[in-house]
Amino acid sequence: MPRQLSQKDIEILKHLAPECNDLDCAGSGSSYKSILPPLANHFAVNESDFKDRLEKLTLEDLQYLLSLIENGSESLSCVPPHYMQVFIDLVTEKLGPEKAKAVFRTYILNPKC
């Protein structure tokens, strides 16, 4: 479900990608509608960098992000599988395997970007 990023979303994205100066996707020209896809596809240079960026999330921000995933607001479909695995590993570590399984189910059930 596409959304307009809230101020909190923008703060999280800019915290994870301080070089983010523009909230428009260079490829499509449209505004970012989620946090994880642009982080994975436009700012992180590899999985290790993606992990380093995600580790900057506070527990509160990670829980907020999971709430967006759970209610369908945060799209996961454009996150490449190897980057998604990094996110799932982080969720497992910080919030447990049940939360990670829920994220994985959401990712699998919404495959198109």
Side-chain angles (χ1 to χ4, degrees):
M1 170 189 329
R3 72 179 197 277
Q4 184 173 6
L5 295 181
S6 70
Q7 188 58 41
K8 183 173 179 83
D9 299 333
I10 293 167
E11 288 170 9
I12 291 171
L13 180 58
K14 289 192 174 201
H15 177 67
L16 301 178
E19 69 273 31
C20 177
N21 296 319
D22 187 4
L23 296 175
D24 293 330
C25 174
S28 71
S30 62
S31 297
Y32 295 138
K33 308 272 187 239
S34 294
I35 297 167
L36 292 174
L39 184 66
N41 295 311
H42 298 287
F43 300 108
V45 296
N46 56 36
E47 296 100 89
S48 177
D49 183 40
F50 187 64
K51 180 181 179 185
D52 291 344
R53 290 169 185 269
L54 289 175
E55 287 177 342
K56 295 178 184 177
L57 286 168
T58 65
L59 189 55
E60 179 184 316
D61 286 345
L62 181 58
Q63 289 170 326
Y64 170 76
L65 195 51
L66 286 186
S67 74
L68 295 176
I69 292 168
E70 288 170 3
N71 74 24
S73 298
E74 177 69 15
S75 173
L76 301 177
S77 61
C78 290
V79 178
H82 49 287
Y83 284 78
M84 196 66 222
Q85 184 61 57
V86 170
F87 182 69
I88 289 171
D89 290 346
L90 179 81
V91 171
T92 301
E93 177 187 326
K94 302 284 185 182
L95 299 172
E98 291 306 312
K99 291 284 188 186
K101 286 177 190 174
V103 170
F104 182 69
R105 274 192 297 275
T106 300
Y107 182 67
I108 294 300
L109 292 175
N110 299 297
K112 61 181 181 170
C113 180

